[in-house]
Each structure stands twice: as structure tokens, then as C-alpha cells.
């Protein structure tokens, strides 16, 4: 994918509330994102955005994903996958 | 959730093909599972099993999840979240 990590970091500020400032969530239901596969993160965000994930916390994530452009999605995915 | 890690490890043999023997996937589209939040893994597997995730590789995962009992799901989730 090759997103822009710096732009992703800025965009990901809102994600920290649930996924943790360093991508390690403090809340059991919310997944860690640090070091996750970049392409998986892109696909997951696009699935939420397209309404292909329902149930559980999906509605919360759908709302977040719909606010992201495809470029934002690539950048946020690059950012989180770059975290160790 | 508190699944049984040893039972989970046995059950998770089939998962290694895509998610890697140690829960770190070698394939960009497939998420790493090692160290992921246990409750998130349980919720994600149940979402696949209930058909609440479609699109992308979801059909593959749905097939896998449907073969798992709730106990299997708890055990597999405990196993992967126990990996560093």
C-alpha cells in the first residue's frame, strides 16, 4: 500500500482513544493495531466503510471509517503497521 | 474470556497456514494474531461465524469459524493472545 506514515499519525489521533496512543489498546474488546499487517488494516477499514462488517463494535468503527478518504486509510494503516 | 491455551494451540494448527506458526502472518492480507486482545479475537471469530463480516477474505474465515465451537473459539483466542 505504501501510505504516508507522518500523515497517518496525524490522522490517527482520534483512533488513540480506543486503540491506545501507541496502537496497543487498553480495552479488551478493541484490537491492538501496532505492527499489524498494513494491507490487512486497509482491507479492514474499507470493509467497515463499505458496511461489510456489522455486529459488536462495528457500527462505531463504520462511523470512523466513513470519515476517512482512501488516502487517509492508506496513511493510517501505514502508521499503525510501522509501530512496534 | 479465559480460554485454555493448550487446547487452543492444538485447535489452531489449521490457522498457521495463513496466520503463521507463531501468529505472525507472512502474507500481507492476513492479520497477525500474536498478542492480539483475547476478547477481540473471540468477538471477531464470532462475527465471522455469524456472517457479520463479508467482503475480502471474510468467506474464507467464515468457513473456518463455523467449524469452531464457542469453547474452541475461547481456546484459540487465549492461545494467540498469549503469543508475544
Amino acid at each position: 500500500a505504501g501510505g504516508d506514515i507522518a500523515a497517518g499519525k496525524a490522522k490517527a489521533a482520534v483512533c488513540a482513544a480506543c486503540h491506545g496512543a501507541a496502537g496497543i489498546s487498553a480495552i479488551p474488546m478493541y484490537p491492538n493495531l501496532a505492527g499489524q499487517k498494513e494491507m490487512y488494516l486497509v482491507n479492514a477499514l474499507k470493509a467497515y466503510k463499505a458496511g461489510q462488517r456489522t455486529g459488536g463494535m462495528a457500527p462505531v468503527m463504520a462511523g470512523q471509517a466513513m470519515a476517512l478518504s482512501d488516502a487517509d486509510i492508506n496513511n493510517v494503516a501505514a502508521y499503525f503497521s510501522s509501530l512496534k
Side-chain angles (χ1 to χ4, degrees), chain A:
Chain A
D4 174 333
I5 292 176
K9 180 170 185 174
K11 200 70 197 178
V14 63
C15 313
C18 297
H19 294 289
I24 302 295
S25 150
I27 303 156
M29 283 191 305
Y30 303 148
N32 301 326
L33 301 180
Q36 184 53 279
K37 287 285 185 286
E38 187 167 342
M39 196 185 285
Y40 172 73
L41 291 173
V42 169
N43 289 347
L45 279 168
K46 287 185 173 174
Y48 282 115
K49 191 171 177 180
Q52 293 174 324
R53 290 191 171 192
T54 55
M57 299 307 291
V60 173
M61 267 312 294
Q64 295 297 332
M66 278 169 203
L68 300 175
S69 69
D70 282 352
D72 290 333
I73 286 175
N74 287 338
N75 297 340
V76 165
Y79 167 65
F80 279 115
S81 70
S82 73
L83 299 177
K84 284 297 161 260

